[in-house]
């Protein structure tokens, strides 16, 4: 994982975006059967003040994502902003056509970044959260001007100043490795999902978001938040080129969950964790796989990968605590049975026994 294997028409909105300079920040969106979310996110990113290189990785979607993105970019399919207060982030729709470049699976090994506003990398299969982001970051780093990669969930929208705030904070942080943002709930924009990231309990593998469910009107100390961050929330996680060249990319064996925790463990004593407190994003949370943070609302797939990835994380990083994860998993399975959720319990049992989800 430590081997990098490295061997926009300009947006019309935003003064800095019109400046004649190359983007320093690449934004990576991983899409799987959620083209409507991806398009809304793209509409917000294209309106940002800071010029970015936007890369969408499609993980083998079957919902017509490629055709829908092409139609959106060409202006053939009109974008309809959503109702509600966040409509302001994508209104009016970004002028079309958008310079969209599609790269087929057989072209991935040789393709180089160009002057496209948005590039769509077709993975050809579902590589998971880590594999999809890794594919996008490897492509981004083929552009020597890129200093930072921002892995951003496709079910988010961003304030216009968010990309610039990420770049500014990372520029200002000595030996920066990872950087998070304010993440607010899309459907409850007055409440934080997390400030920067989460605190992690080593014994149980459980984590708790910093500022989770706290009103955004409450004051906070950005430096204190950065110090308390054990790992940056994966929904909005930027990393530096130097970090990737030293620590490596995400561990792909997880497929989903615990990637950012693994990254933080591998980073210990190397690079700083920063907090771009001026960057605000809004997250719908759990769109693709049902990874809801609400009690009892996670999907069977989400429950499966949480157990599987937790066990793999401890086996890789804390082998002395690895055996403890099995009785903890049994406790969670029993809880699902008591809630009369036998299908979830069955999926979690398969994960604990090292069996496939299907």
């Amino acid at each position: 994982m430590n081997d990098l294997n490295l061997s926009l028409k300009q947006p019309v909105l935003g003064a800095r975006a019109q400046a004649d300079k190359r983007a320093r920040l690449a934004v990576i969106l991983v899409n799987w059967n959620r083209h409507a979310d991806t398009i809304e996110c793209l509409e917000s990113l294209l309106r940002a003040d800071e010029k970015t290189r936007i890369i969408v990785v499609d993980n083998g979607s079957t919902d017509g994502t490629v055709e829908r993105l092409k139609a959106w970019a060409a202006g053939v399919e009109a974008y309809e902003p959503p109702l509600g207060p966040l409509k302001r982030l994508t209104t009016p729709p970004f002028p079309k056509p958008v310079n969209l470049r599609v790269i087929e699976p057989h072209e991935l090994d040789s393709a180089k970044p160009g002057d496209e506003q948005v590039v769509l990398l077709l993975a050809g299969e579902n590589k998971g959260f880590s594999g999809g982001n890794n594919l996008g970051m490897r492509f981004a780093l083929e552009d020597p001007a890129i200093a930072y990669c921002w892995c951003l969930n496709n079910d988010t929208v961003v304030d216009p100043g968010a990309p610039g705030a990420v770049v500014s904070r990372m520029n200002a942080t000595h030996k920066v490795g990872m950087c998070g943002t304010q993440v607010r709930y899309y459907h409850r924009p007055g409440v934080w999902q997390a400030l920067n990231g989460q605190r992690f309990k080593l014994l149980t593998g459980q984590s708790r978001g910093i500022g989770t469910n706290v009103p955004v009107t409450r004051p906070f100390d950005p430096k204190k938040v950065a110090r308390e961050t054990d790992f940056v929330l994966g929904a909005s996680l930027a990393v530096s080129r130097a970090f990737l060249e030293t620590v490596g990319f995400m561990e792909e064996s997880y497929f989903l969950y615990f990637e950012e925790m693994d990254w933080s463990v591998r980073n210990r004593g190397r690079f700083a964790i920063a907090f771009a407190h001026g960057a605000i994003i809004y997250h719908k949370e759990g769109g693709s796989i049902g990874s809801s943070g609400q009690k009892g609302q996670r999907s069977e797939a989400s429950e499966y990968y949480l157990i599987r990835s937790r066990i793999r994380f401890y086996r890789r990083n804390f082998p002395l605590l690895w055996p403890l994860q099995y009785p903890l998993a049994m406790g969670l399975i029993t809880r699902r049975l008591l809630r009369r959720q036998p299908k979830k319990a069955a999926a979690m049992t398969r994960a604990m026994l090292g069996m496939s989800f299907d």
Side-chain angles (χ1 to χ4, degrees):
M1 295 299 295
N2 290 327
D3 182 6
L4 284 179
N5 293 320
L6 299 177
S7 313
L8 296 159
K9 231 176 207 178
Q10 298 272 3
V12 300
L13 299 176
R16 281 182 291 175
Q18 298 183 60
D20 185 18
K21 64 176 183 177
R22 298 176 69 183
R24 301 199 70 210
L25 176 69
V27 184
I28 319 297
L29 307 179
V30 177
N31 178 85
W32 185 66
N33 291 337
R34 303 286 293 192
H35 59 80
D37 286 339
T38 297
I39 288 172
E40 185 181 2
C41 185
L42 289 171
E43 286 278 352
S44 69
L45 284 168
L46 287 167
R47 295 162 56 85
D49 297 333
E50 179 82 16
K51 181 180 179 182
T52 62
R53 179 173 290 284
I54 304 174
I55 300 166
V56 179
V57 179
D58 184 69
N59 262 348
S61 294
T62 57
D63 67 341
T65 285
V66 177
E67 292 73 20
R68 299 297 291 272
L69 284 175
K70 285 181 178 178
W72 162 79
V76 173
E77 185 171 311
Y79 170 71
E80 295 291 339
L83 300 176
L86 297 185
K87 179 179 180 179
R88 62 183 173 82
L89 298 177
T90 58
T91 303
F94 190 81
K96 309 298 185 298
V98 169
N99 181 2
L100 172 70
R101 175 187 175 194
V102 180
I103 298 178
E104 300 287 343
H106 68 273
E107 301 175 304
L108 292 174
D109 290 339
S110 58
K112 307 291 183 184
D115 63 352
E116 57 274 347
Q117 287 172 291
V118 180
V119 63
L120 175 60
L121 304 180
L122 303 185
E125 60 179 332
N126 193 344
K127 294 180 175 290
F129 177 80
S130 51
N133 275 302
N134 285 348
L135 180 61
M137 288 187 287
R138 285 191 172 96
F139 179 81
L141 294 186
E142 291 287 349
D143 179 355
I146 294 298
Y148 313 115
C149 292
W150 186 14
C151 299
L152 184 66
N153 273 25
N154 69 317
D155 60 344
T156 62
V157 292
V158 306
D159 270 353
V166 170
V167 171
S168 295
R169 173 47 52 200
M170 296 187 81
N171 282 345
T173 303
H174 175 66
K175 204 173 181 181
V176 67
M178 312 172 85
C179 181
T181 65
Q182 287 193 49
V183 181
R184 302 181 182 184
Y185 289 112
Y186 180 95
H187 297 292
R188 293 186 292 154
V191 179
W192 284 306
Q193 180 185 353
L195 289 170
N196 203 46
Q198 303 192 342
R199 302 180 184 94
F200 179 66
K201 294 181 180 179
L202 181 59
L203 192 62
T204 64
Q206 295 180 331
S207 58
R208 175 71 177 174
I210 299 171
T212 296
N213 291 324
V214 172
V216 300
T217 53
R218 184 171 299 180
F220 62 89
D221 180 352
K223 293 182 179 179
K224 184 174 183 288
V225 170
R227 287 195 306 269
E228 293 182 351
T229 301
D230 291 324
F231 66 92
V232 176
L233 187 68
S236 178
L237 168 55
V239 292
S240 66
R241 178 185 284 267
F243 172 92
L244 290 171
E245 290 172 344
T246 304
V247 177
F249 289 97
M250 290 186 190
E251 172 53 48
E252 295 187 16
S253 66
Y254 292 111
F255 189 79
L256 187 68
Y257 301 126
F258 279 79
E259 304 94 337
E260 62 266 59
M261 291 182 233
D262 184 90
W263 240 357
S264 292
V265 171
R266 288 156 53 199
N267 178 52
R268 285 178 299 186
R270 297 184 180 186
F271 293 89
I273 294 179
F275 173 34
H277 64 278
I280 301 172
I281 75 161
Y282 300 87
H283 185 207
K284 296 171 187 175
E285 193 187 19
S288 293
I289 198 168
S291 53
S292 173
Q294 299 297 315
K295 183 177 180 181
Q297 298 302 308
R298 284 196 294 263
S299 69
E300 293 164 28
S302 179
E303 298 277 29
Y304 171 86
Y305 284 111
L306 272 170
I307 293 290
R308 193 187 78 155
S309 294
R310 178 181 287 116
I311 290 172
R312 292 189 176 192
F313 172 78
Y314 277 92
R315 186 174 184 177
R316 280 175 52 85
N317 297 293
F318 303 101
L320 293 179
L321 294 175
W322 170 44
L324 180 61
Q325 302 314 306
Y326 290 91
L328 289 172
M330 284 298 300
L332 293 172
I333 292 167
T334 301
R335 189 178 302 172
R336 298 302 179 273
L337 290 172
L338 292 174
R339 291 179 184 169
R340 299 182 180 180
Q341 299 173 325
K343 291 183 178 180
K344 291 184 179 181
M348 296 164 76
T349 300
R350 295 181 71 86
M352 185 182 69
L353 296 176
M355 301 169 66
S356 65
F357 175 66
D358 299 323

